[in-house]
Amino acid sequence: MQGFVAQSMVGRDDDVQAVLASIRSAELRGALVVAEAGLGKSALANVVVGVLSTEMPVHRIHASSALTGIPFGALAPLLPVLSASDTDSPLAVMRALLDRLRPAMESDGHPRPLVVVDDAHALDEASADLLSQLMAADTVRMLILTRSITDIPAGLPAQVWSGVIARHHLLPLTDSQVHELCEQVLGGPVLSTSSAELARMSGGNPMYMLALIAETRRTGNLVSRHGVWLLGDNVHPPQGRLGDLLKAQLSGLSNDEREAMEIIALAEPVPVGVAFRLGMHRSVDALTAAKLVSVEEDGQRLLRPRHPLYGELVRHMVPAARSARLRQKVLAVLPENSDSMDGLLRSVGWSLDCGAPVPDQQLLQAAYMANNFFDSDFALRAAQEIQDPQMLSAARIQTARAQYQRGNFTAAQELVAGTVESARDLTSAKLGTLLDVQVRQHSDRAGIGVRRAKSAWETAIDRIEAEAIAAGKADAEMQTDIASSRRGARLLGALINVAEGNYRSTAAELTNLLSDARAEGDTEASLVALTLLGDIHTCSGRSETAANLTREALAIVIANDHRFLTYYQFVLHRHLAALLWAGYWEEARDTIRKDFAASSRSFGRIGGSVDMTFAVMELRRGKLEEALPKLNAAVEGLRTYDPEGMLPLALCLSAQLVARQGDFARAEEILADYDELEPRGAVSAQVIARGNRMVAEFARTNDPRVLKELRELADQAEENGLTSAEFELRTLGMGLGDATGMNRLLKLSDDIQGPRGSAVNKFARAVLDQDVPALLHLAMEPADPDSEGMGALALREALRLAKAIGDRTQIQRVQRVIGKSLETAESRRSTSLTPALTRREKDVAALVIKGFRNAEVAERLFLSVRTVEGHIYRIFEKLGISKRDELTAELLGE
């Protein structure tokens, strides 16, 4: 626990304050803290003692199992040397203990001492009884730490039940608290999905969490790339200190309990009924009471190790021969049920482990299900066992899917080549096509390859249909499957059209396809049609409508267990985009939080999208400093997995923020990284990325030609019907002080659904009406995060208009508001209203205030004159001024 104590108490502030309040309370005599091992009881006690040590004397008692059988053994450190007869006398021990505590109690006004009892569940009965009497007599305050209140000798729990001391439970850390702990320990940004996976594996237990971080770093599974920490897909079995900690939790098990733990770990999840048929009733009760096993309600009651780490450790410790015997033992009482994914995978996996034969059809089905649930290792194992020549093509597709999910895109492309042309059934043709498209998304720049994949699929459908008719097998079920496949090919064509920005005609086709799919009960086609329609509405500015559609699509993915998990990121990406544009930020956070469990096996694949969402939220609020580390994390996540082509946009946003902070060299490096990328992703995202690249370039060079290029790009977006992209580009230009497109922006924002459109509309209308009070209202009383993010811009424009009008009263009022916002920004270390000056900008500003010319400033700070000019432009922009003589030390807060 030393590692945790060394860190500040992440996620425990409320617990610390609650315990302090209980100990200080005039009505209570202390606090009892209950928590399983590793949740931070001792660390919390250290913080509490550190606070109270100046208020009252503190004494600590450390109970242990070695002293449980020795009367008053736990109190020995507080007792003077006693005679043999005295140690058998509770009264003598009481007097001796009071003598030790009495110096602190000589006067009535002196505070009562605090006695801290560690591991109270290991107290001997005599010590517990004596401490209970002291507390009942109000002689001491007590802080009692225990894993279980029921294991403490009766005297102390009685004080709890009677309300003499307050009881507090420490809960595991949440995902966000684990993320904070990871960043604190690792000293840098962490991909959100990596910290979420660490939280899942550790169960939010801080002790396991710290040991897991150390172990994954040692094994090279947790690595830093460009300053961002990322977790690999396959975490090795627990070893080192982590393994020792876990083994300590398992060390006290009886032989029956150990065997039950091994069976549950090897065969998880184990139905409770199966465990009972094996006679594991008492062992299961003991394991759940010890918090080693949990009962999961998922249609049927299932047993799993409480923390995934327990399962990993036990499976690693069980010898192969014993593992096979235990699996055979379970297999003998397992009901014949392969309908569910768990049932099929469990049955096939155990059979393979035991050397029992498995039919090829069952192996293929298992490989398919395993791939759906991103279990690539099992999918490869099952597919490689298939021997039937008629199934080898289908097995090859499942092998290719597994390689793709492992990130081996070249191997996947080689394996999938020719599978659609040789497919003997519609399912193989579909899966081969979808995998071909997925692989091409990582390299195809113009959609030509995807069109070829669509054409190959349609040809395969025609061929398979003709073969079925010739063989007399084109029954009603076959015709339904053929219709579904043709529907899928049309949806693939719609995907291409949406990516290219052909919204209007494609929307009509998708509406018809959705209606047709619903009428025919084609859930998969409905899911894809809903998602693509949502994408169109988002790109057309109708984000609230889009969110309704993508919300329904995501619900279909979640409701169908593993069946549609391969669509998870495809839907999630578009749903989060719709929620961000619609301003449903809390729903976006909830979606990410709730769906981490659904994507636990594919956490690495959604990491970039998730952190990109978090970064955009901070950007829209104007929180630039908070946005940058999230953007950096998003960039590294997207370098690993980016089927939607979002890496270019993430790089340009990152370069823009870095340049605005004055780090031009780093911004140039990031832009060079962007320039090396092939154009990928939807045309709308490509256009927005190019616009943000221009903003980054302008922040770096202050070249007015960049503004002209940005206007031209917005005009092109307007011509091509890319409404949301045009809105974003013109909003970027507005932020750079380009007012030439304000009328167009006002008209656009009238049609953009969500708070972002409303905030821009209010700003544009106020500027065109020269309404300074309206701009101040927007800055001082933001209605939503988007309005809050526009505060600095509103203040800058308010000052410009007030000066243009020549109203000195208005000028002074605006400057007062700017001064207050700067103070707030400095106190919060935030850029919520007016961006704070960087260190270099402050250096430049200080010399300008002293009267130095640009060349003199450049010479003194070893900068180029052009760089100094850029700094001065940004200083004026942030402070809402336009002349050198308006720059004062007072305005800088000095």
Side-chain angles (χ1 to χ4, degrees), residues 226-237:
H226 298 107
V228 176
W229 291 91
L230 304 97
L231 187 67
D233 283 338
N234 299 307
V235 177
H236 302 291

Side-chain angles (χ1 to χ4, degrees), residues 712-738:
E712 291 172 350
L713 185 61
D715 292 341
Q716 292 173 19
E718 179 183 359
E719 291 174 11
N720 295 324
L722 306 177
T723 305
S724 292
E726 182 199 352
F727 174 79
E728 188 68 22
L729 296 174
R730 297 201 189 278
T731 301
L732 289 172
M734 177 187 73
L736 297 179
D738 185 2

Side-chain angles (χ1 to χ4, degrees), residues 573-622:
H573 170 79
R574 288 158 179 80
H575 184 50
L576 291 177
L579 293 177
L580 285 177
W581 275 95
Y584 301 153
W585 291 12
E586 284 307 312
E587 183 180 350
R589 292 190 184 94
D590 288 344
T591 297
I592 292 168
R593 185 164 51 248
K594 291 175 183 176
D595 294 343
F596 267 149
S599 61
S600 61
R601 289 181 181 270
S602 62
F603 65 91
R605 294 167 178 80
I606 65 169
S609 297
V610 167
D611 278 300
M612 185 74 165
T613 300
F614 290 146
V616 170
M617 287 181 183
E618 299 294 352
L619 281 173
R620 294 263 293 274
R621 294 172 59 201

Side-chain angles (χ1 to χ4, degrees), residues 394-720:
R396 186 178 176 186
I397 290 173
Q398 297 306 325
T399 302
R401 288 181 67 194
Q403 293 292 358
Y404 172 80
Q405 287 170 175
R406 282 181 160 188
N408 301 327
F409 302 137
T410 301
Q413 193 165 35
E414 291 173 354
L415 284 165
V416 79
T419 55
V420 176
E421 290 80 0
S422 62
R424 303 176 64 89
D425 60 89
L426 293 170
T427 299
S428 294
K430 180 187 76 172
L431 293 177
T433 300
L434 294 182
L435 181 59
D436 188 21
V437 170
Q438 286 178 308
V439 173
R440 290 182 185 280
Q441 282 180 319
H442 287 270
S443 59
D444 185 45
R445 59 176 297 174
I448 297 174
V450 179
R451 284 193 176 85
R452 289 174 181 164
K454 174 180 178 290
S455 177
W457 188 12
E458 290 170 331
T459 300
I461 295 170
D462 292 340
R463 173 176 52 78
I464 293 170
E465 181 183 29
E467 291 173 354
I469 293 172
K473 296 181 180 179
D475 55 14
E477 183 179 354
M478 182 67 174
Q479 291 300 327
T480 298
D481 291 343
I482 289 172
S484 177
S485 292
R486 295 197 191 285
R487 201 176 292 122
R490 289 172 62 194
L491 285 168
L492 181 54
L495 172 67
I496 297 170
N497 288 330
V498 172
E500 293 178 347
N502 303 319
Y503 300 143
R504 185 170 299 176
S505 60
T506 309
E509 181 182 5
L510 282 169
T511 301
N512 292 333
L513 275 169
L514 178 59
S515 177
D516 180 39
R518 281 175 164 161
E520 296 298 324
D522 190 340
T523 307
E524 185 174 4
S526 298
L527 156 69
V528 177
L530 284 165
T531 305
L532 291 175
L533 274 172
D535 201 1
I536 288 176
H537 283 295
T538 298
C539 294
S540 302
R542 298 184 294 274
S543 55
E544 293 174 0
T545 305
N548 291 330
L549 295 165
T550 54
R551 189 182 295 116
E552 183 180 350
L554 191 62
I556 292 174
V557 174
I558 302 302
N560 282 271
D561 192 24
H562 68 284
R563 185 180 171 197
F564 298 136
L565 271 182
T566 50
Y567 289 108
Y568 179 75
Q569 186 180 25
F570 172 75
V571 180
L572 180 67
H573 170 79
R574 288 158 179 80
H575 184 50
L576 291 177
L579 293 177
L580 285 177
W581 275 95
Y584 301 153
W585 291 12
E586 284 307 312
E587 183 180 350
R589 292 190 184 94
D590 288 344
T591 297
I592 292 168
R593 185 164 51 248
K594 291 175 183 176
D595 294 343
F596 267 149
S599 61
S600 61
R601 289 181 181 270
S602 62
F603 65 91
R605 294 167 178 80
I606 65 169
S609 297
V610 167
D611 278 300
M612 185 74 165
T613 300
F614 290 146
V616 170
M617 287 181 183
E618 299 294 352
L619 281 173
R620 294 263 293 274
R621 294 172 59 201
K623 304 279 187 178
L624 309 186
E625 292 179 357
E626 288 86 345
L628 187 54
K630 292 179 174 62
L631 264 177
N632 291 338
V635 165
E636 296 313 314
L638 292 170
R639 288 187 198 277
T640 302
Y641 196 82
D642 181 31
E644 306 300 338
M646 296 305 296
L647 178 58
L649 177 56
L651 285 169
C652 291
L653 288 171
S654 180
Q656 181 190 147
L657 295 192
V658 168
R660 292 176 68 173
Q661 289 183 344
D663 190 349
F664 300 137
R666 176 61 184 146
E668 191 171 0
E669 290 175 5
I670 297 172
L671 290 179
D673 199 358
Y674 162 81
D675 292 338
E676 290 178 359
L677 297 175
E678 292 286 343
R680 290 184 52 243
V683 65
S684 181
Q686 290 184 35
V687 169
I688 293 174
R690 287 170 58 195
N692 277 278
R693 193 212 184 287
M694 292 174 184
V695 175
E697 188 66 26
F698 184 79
R700 204 167 60 89
T701 64
N702 197 29
D703 188 342
R705 291 174 296 182
V706 175
L707 295 180
K708 181 175 179 294
E709 293 173 359
L710 186 60
R711 285 195 299 271
E712 291 172 350
L713 185 61
D715 292 341
Q716 292 173 19
E718 179 183 359
E719 291 174 11
N720 295 324

Side-chain angles (χ1 to χ4, degrees), residues 36-58:
E36 62 183 272
L39 286 185
K41 299 184 297 295
S42 297
L44 182 142
N46 289 344
V47 175
V48 169
V49 168
V51 174
L52 294 178
S53 59
T54 58
E55 301 177 22
M56 59 186 71
V58 179

Side-chain angles (χ1 to χ4, degrees), residues 625 660-661 822 825-826 830-831 834-846 871 874-879 887 891-892 894:
E625 292 179 357
R660 292 176 68 173
Q661 289 183 344
L822 280 172
E826 187 66 27
S830 166
T831 55
T834 304
L837 299 184
T838 65
R839 181 185 59 80
R840 178 60 78 187
E841 286 168 351
K842 288 180 180 179
D843 293 340
V844 171
H871 279 310
R874 276 178 289 281
I875 291 167
F876 286 7
E877 178 186 33
K878 291 179 179 181
L879 300 181
L887 182 59
L891 194 57
L892 292 178
E894 297 178 354

